[in-house]
Amino acid sequence: AQSVTQLGSHVSVSEGALVLLRCNYSSSVPPYLFWYVQYPNQGLQLLLKYTSAATLVKGINGFEAEFKKSETSFHLTKPSAHMSDAAEYFCAVMNSGGYQKVTFGTGTKLQVIP
Amino acid sequence: KAGVTQTPRYLIKTRGQQVTLSCSPISGHRSVSWYQQTPGQGLQFLFEYFSETQRNKGNFPGRFSGRQFSNSRSEMNVSTLELGDSALYLCASSPDPGQTNYGYTFGSGTRLTVV
C-alpha cells in the first residue's frame, strides 16, 4: 500500500518569504513522487516529479523538492513567495515497478500575504 | 498540442437523475484516469482506462461507471444521483501505464451540482 501525508492543510507566508510545504510518503517499493498545484476552479498542474534520478528536483515557477529516503519525505520549497503562488498544492505517490494508480495527499492551501 | 478537454464544465442535476461526463485526453495519450474531488474527501480515485479496458478501480459504488473508446476518449456515468455526488470530477491522461513516471496531465474538470 502507498500513502502520502501532507502536514498542514493551510500555510500562510509573507510575500518574499520562504515557502515550505511538507510531504511524507509511505511505500513498500521505491516510489515515484509528484507535486501538483491547483488554482481555483481548475484542474491540477504538474509542478515537478521525482523518478529515482537526482534527489533534488527542480520544477516550474521556481519550486523544487528534495527526496530524502531516510526521512521518507519529499518537501516542496521555494526561496521567495510570490502572490501568484497562492493555490492548493498536492503531493502524490505512485509505486514504481509496474503500473499502479496515483495516490494523492489531502492538499495544502498556500496563502501569500502581501 | 491540445490539452485534456472535459465537457461540460458545469452541470446541475436533480437527485435520481443520471449524468455522463466526457474526457478527451492529449493526442497520443492512451490512459485516462478519473478522480472525484470534494472538500471533505479530497481527491478520490474512481477508475483508470487503457486501450478500452478498465485496469484499475477505486472504492465507489456501482452507480459510477465508465468506458473508453477506440480513440482514447473516455466517458464516465453516474446513475441515480445523490446529493453527495456533488463534486469536481477530474480527468487525467498519461501516455500509457508503462510510462508510470510520466505524471498526469489534468483537465479543468466538470463541476457537478446535485440538487
Side-chain angles (χ1 to χ4, degrees):
Chain A
Q2 59 191 32
S3 65
V4 288
T5 302
Q6 290 184 244
L7 295 175
S9 58
H10 291 81
V11 170
S12 293
V13 300
S14 298
E15 190 175 16
L18 171 71
V19 176
L20 171 60
L21 304 182
R22 298 177 187 275
C23 172
N24 288 88
Y25 70 91
S26 171
S27 176
S28 56
V29 297
Y32 295 138
L33 294 160
F34 308 86
W35 275 100
Y36 289 85
V37 61
Q38 185 179 33
Y39 298 99
N41 292 317
Q42 294 295 319
L44 280 69
Q45 179 184 5
L46 182 65
L47 272 178
L48 50 78
K49 60 184 178 183
Y50 166 76
T51 56
S52 74
T55 56
L56 181 62
V57 182
K58 294 187 185 298
I60 62 172
N61 302 338
F63 284 93
E64 63 181 38
E66 186 171 8
F67 172 70
K68 291 187 176 180
K69 184 178 178 180
S70 61
E71 299 177 8
T72 60
S73 69
F74 190 58
H75 302 328
L76 182 71
T77 60
K78 182 174 180 177
S80 176
H82 193 273
M83 295 299 294
S84 61
D85 295 327
E88 190 160 18
Y89 292 79
F90 292 88
C91 183
V93 64
M94 173 190 280
N95 286 343
S96 60
Y99 178 72
Q100 299 285 341
K101 67 178 175 66
V102 177
T103 301
F104 287 86
T106 52
T108 297
K109 284 188 178 175
L110 176 66
Q111 179 187 22
V112 181
I113 303 167
Chain B
K1 202 176 200 182
V4 179
T5 302
Q6 290 190 247
T7 56
R9 283 280 276 135
Y10 300 93
L11 208 47
I12 299 176
K13 290 286 189 180
T14 304
R15 273 182 302 176
Q17 288 187 311
Q18 76 165 17
V19 66
T20 299
L21 312 181
S22 178
C23 171
S24 293
I26 287 175
S27 178
H29 284 194
R30 299 187 295 164
S31 176
V32 173
S33 298
W34 289 89
Y35 285 82
Q36 181 196 66
Q37 185 179 27
T38 58
Q41 299 296 318
L43 281 153
Q44 301 287 311
F45 173 75
L46 281 157
F47 24 64
E48 187 263 344
Y49 287 89
F50 174 71
S51 291
E52 304 177 63
T53 301
Q54 187 181 87
R55 293 178 57 93
N56 223 331
K57 189 176 189 306
N59 296 322
F60 278 81
R63 301 185 296 108
F64 291 81
S65 63
R67 59 178 174 170
Q68 186 179 35
F69 302 95
S70 58
N71 62 356
S72 295
R73 189 177 71 86
S74 177
E75 290 181 347
M76 64 163 283
N77 183 278
V78 188
S79 62
T80 319
L81 283 166
E82 301 177 358
L83 295 179
D85 298 332
S86 295
L88 180 66
Y89 289 87
L90 292 165
C91 167
S93 82
S94 59
D96 63 54
Q99 294 183 255
T100 55
N101 61 353
Y102 178 85
Y104 288 146
T105 301
F106 281 86
S108 297
T110 294
R111 173 76 62 183
L112 171 65
T113 302
V114 182
V115 297

